[in-house]
Amino acid sequence: MTVLPRYRTDPSPRALATRLRALLTADVPVACGVYAGLTDPVPTSALHARITHAMARAFVAGESAAVPRFSLPPSAQLRLLTAASRGRLDGAGADMTTFPVDLASELWWRVHAHAGEPSLRPAERRVACDLFLRLGYPHRAASVIGLTVADARNHTFAAEFAAEQLAVLRCHLPAPAVEALALRGARSGLPAATRRDLALFVVFRAAATGVDSTSLHAAAALAMRAASELPHAGFSDALARVRLHRAVATIPFVRRDIVETHRLLGRAVEGLTSVAPGEAEFDRLAWADEAYALHALLVQTHLAIGLGQRAVGHADELVALSPGDDRTWALRGDALVSCGRLEEAVEAYTQGVALGGWGAARAAHLRGFALQRLGRAVEAEADFLLAHRIDPTASVGGVGVAAGRRATGGRVGAGAPSAVVAATVPVVWAVPADQAVPTVQAVPAVQAVPTASTSAASSGSGG
């Protein structure tokens, strides 16, 4: 199995500012303008961008009741990163009304106007909250559902907005506090579907740490208990069961029990293939949203045990579902590298670079790594420079990209000891969703109540 260098990014606000300045002049514009003005999706728009645009259209058309709950929204920083990649930072304000007129579509202003109406129904408030989080306005998201105080000790979830409140709180409270809140909600008297969703949030967050923790097991048990109280009928219920199997499979995965992991993921795949979406747009998008998450996890699990060829097969499913997502080509490139298919990996990473934006940095660096292994040193060096130009805050093997290049005579791919390919897969290619947009601080809508955990976090290393 070919070993990839560890490519990591700094999630701090200071690094974000550096990254935005670099993107301004990196000449890697994102073609998709969904997150920078709600313009119509293009062929290179990711699945999550198509979902965001469809939600906006449904919201202004008065069809919010037909919008299902999707996966957690992508990074609230996508608006900033997209605008910066296009050489614009005037769209980085915390107020939607200050967004540049020449970038904003008519749909953008219709969303803004409709969200300001005082008589919004609960379904409209739910969709508006999700939309504002996706567009990078967490203060507006909080306002539309009436959330004004983020109190980790005393917060009580509202049944109709529990998922939305949780998503907003992730922008304002430390991750441990949010997980504790979600667990408390999962043990409460909320409706079974709400308790299940709160518990699943904790499962996925805890599993992402790679630690076999008590909170992971507790949340999984709570999710299964809540699911047992729900009917097994209908399209949305079937997708919810697929998500439950996917979540439970993370427990043996963090234990490195691959046999049990694949048994549970097999049940998820069977469930997904047994339910066919109808003609409704949101049914098709919801199915694709769950399918993408499932196949991404399957790529990771197969890479973890060295089954690169099978990982490539699941990466092909990701290509079919969302060819405009830089994560798609990162996973496919990593899978191909693990098989030693370096020429094809170069092609996959090239697709990621072509999508532009911040994701192009990782794609360029790993394309350089593959080119270096192929003996194409000049092209590799150009890619290492491109990656650094897009994101000078990234580190490889625990050192900065520039430092790594100096330490290895320009050969960044041959840097410090690195993990097998599987260890690089969980690297976050988008800014962590619980990293708040720095500009939000200028117009705080949610007042965070200090807790023991927040005090400890603020007095620590600042991570």
Side-chain angles (χ1 to χ4, degrees):
M1 177 183 288
T2 303
V3 176
L4 277 172
R6 295 188 181 214
Y7 185 90
R8 299 189 180 279
T9 55
D10 183 349
S12 70
R14 178 178 296 179
L16 172 62
T18 301
R19 192 174 299 126
L20 291 173
R21 288 193 296 269
L23 276 170
L24 281 172
T25 58
D27 194 25
V28 285
V30 175
C32 174
V34 168
Y35 294 106
L38 281 177
T39 59
D40 291 342
V42 295
T44 55
S45 293
L47 173 62
H48 58 75
R50 300 201 304 271
I51 290 172
T52 299
H53 196 270
M55 290 175 64
R57 286 187 282 107
F59 175 64
V60 300
E63 299 171 355
S64 294
V67 180
R69 282 190 170 96
F70 291 94
S71 301
L72 286 171
S75 169
Q77 296 175 359
L78 276 178
R79 170 171 55 90
L80 284 72
L81 295 166
T82 300
S85 77
R86 295 177 165 197
R88 303 284 294 268
L89 277 186
D90 49 350
D95 187 346
M96 196 173 185
T97 59
T98 64
F99 195 78
V101 175
D102 61 318
L103 294 181
S105 67
E106 179 186 354
L107 180 59
W108 179 275
W109 298 118
R110 290 178 65 192
V111 166
H112 166 67
H114 189 47
E117 296 178 4
S119 57
L120 290 179
R121 297 185 295 274
E124 292 176 308
R125 294 186 184 280
R126 172 178 63 81
V127 173
C129 178
D130 195 347
L131 262 178
F132 288 132
L133 287 174
R134 289 168 176 264
L135 296 176
Y137 296 106
H139 60 292
R140 187 80 184 272
S143 175
V144 80
I145 59 172
L147 182 62
T148 57
V149 176
D151 187 348
R153 287 192 184 123
N154 304 310
H155 180 80
T156 300
F157 287 107
E160 58 189 359
F161 297 130
E164 289 69 37
Q165 289 176 338
L166 184 65
V168 171
L169 290 171
R170 293 171 70 228
C171 298
H172 298 277
L173 295 174
V178 177
E179 290 179 20
L181 274 175
L183 271 178
R184 193 166 71 214
R187 293 188 176 104
S188 69
L190 290 167
T194 303
R195 287 186 279 114
R196 177 200 60 202
D197 292 344
L198 291 174
L200 288 179
F201 166 82
V202 178
V203 172
F204 288 124
R205 291 288 299 178
T209 66
V211 178
D212 188 20
S213 63
T214 55
S215 61
L216 174 60
H217 288 267
L222 289 167
M224 289 188 287
R225 184 185 307 166
S228 69
E229 303 172 23
L230 295 168
H232 290 186
F235 176 74
S236 59
D237 292 330
L239 283 187
R241 290 195 299 276
V242 173
R243 188 176 302 113
L244 178 65
H245 290 315
R246 174 166 60 88
V248 174
T250 62
I251 296 178
F253 183 53
V254 298
R255 290 176 170 176
R256 297 298 182 262
D257 183 350
I258 301 301
V259 173
E260 180 63 9
T261 299
H262 284 167
R263 185 186 73 81
L264 291 170
L265 288 178
R267 294 179 62 183
V269 171
E270 289 174 6
L272 187 68
T273 55
S274 67
V275 56
E279 293 299 318
E281 179 182 21
F282 282 110
D283 282 355
R284 289 184 281 107
L285 289 173
W287 188 93
D289 188 46
E290 182 56 38
Y292 190 93
L294 177 57
H295 286 290
L297 181 56
L298 284 162
V299 173
Q300 294 174 11
T301 57
H302 282 102
L303 284 176
I305 56 174
L307 296 178
Q309 294 292 354
R310 291 189 181 182
V312 171
H314 290 292
D316 289 342
E317 296 291 339
L318 298 180
V319 172
L321 290 164
S322 187
D325 196 323
D326 59 293
R327 298 172 301 173
T328 295
W329 299 106
L331 283 167
R332 178 167 169 76
D334 293 353
L336 289 165
V337 168
S338 76
C339 301
R341 295 160 62 178
L342 297 179
E343 292 282 4
E344 293 173 81
V346 168
E347 295 176 8
Y349 292 134
T350 297
Q351 293 284 351
V353 172
L355 292 175
W358 182 34
R362 182 185 189 273
H365 182 85
L366 293 179
R367 182 174 66 179
F369 170 81
L371 287 167
Q372 188 179 76
R373 296 295 291 263
L374 290 168
R376 295 156 65 177
V378 175
E379 295 170 84
E381 178 68 10
D383 271 344
F384 294 144
L385 291 172
L386 173 60
H388 183 64
R389 189 168 76 243
I390 299 170
D391 185 4
T393 72
S395 62
V396 181
V399 296
V401 171
R405 292 179 65 250
R406 290 192 298 269
T408 59
R411 299 177 296 108
V412 188
S418 54
V420 293
V421 169
T424 71
V425 175
V427 171
V428 179
W429 300 297
V431 180
D434 54 1
Q435 177 70 42
V437 178
T439 52
V440 172
Q441 298 170 2
V443 190
V446 179
Q447 178 65 45
V449 175
T451 65
S453 59
T454 56
S455 298
S458 62
S459 63
S461 60

